[in-house]
Amino acid sequence: MNKDKEDCKTFLKEQVEWCKKQDAILEEIETKLYKMKELAQYVVEHKLSSVEIDGLNEKLFELKSEVQFLEKQLHSVVH
């Protein structure tokens, strides 16, 4: 019976660590999405040259790629 309790305790500790890692990834995604929103709002509120727009588009693409990478990490381990 004691072995079962230890196994259960170990399993639950692993689950807590997994949840912490998932939470950290979600926080990173949220931060990047917020940056993307800020860039989009900036474009709406300002008259920009095509060069500035291209630069912001590159930054948005970069952030999008980073979010997609993080999403893959989020789904890479099914527990």
Side-chain angles (χ1 to χ4, degrees):
M1 187 79 145
N2 196 19
K3 171 81 167 120
D4 290 339
K5 283 185 178 183
E6 286 300 316
D7 288 345
C8 184
K9 186 176 179 180
T10 301
F11 173 76
L12 293 174
K13 283 182 179 180
E14 289 171 357
Q15 290 295 302
V16 168
E17 287 305 310
W18 179 81
C19 288
K20 287 178 181 178
K21 288 177 185 175
Q22 296 293 311
D23 185 53
I25 293 170
L26 288 170
E27 284 183 28
E28 282 186 65
I29 290 172
E30 181 182 26
T31 299
K32 293 186 185 303
L33 290 173
Y34 185 74
K35 287 179 185 177
M36 292 171 78
K37 178 183 175 186
E38 286 179 332
L39 288 175
Q41 286 175 331
Y42 181 83
V43 169
V44 169
E45 295 169 358
H46 297 84
K47 185 174 173 119
L48 303 174
S49 70
S50 60
V51 173
E52 291 171 315
I53 291 171
D54 288 344
L56 290 174
N57 278 336
E58 286 180 28
K59 183 62 179 168
L60 282 170
F61 182 77
E62 179 184 321
L63 288 166
K64 177 184 169 189
S65 296
E66 291 172 4
V67 167
Q68 289 171 335
F69 175 76
L70 290 167
E71 285 177 329
K72 287 179 184 175
Q73 287 182 344
L74 194 61
H75 299 295
S76 66
V77 177
V78 178
H79 233 243

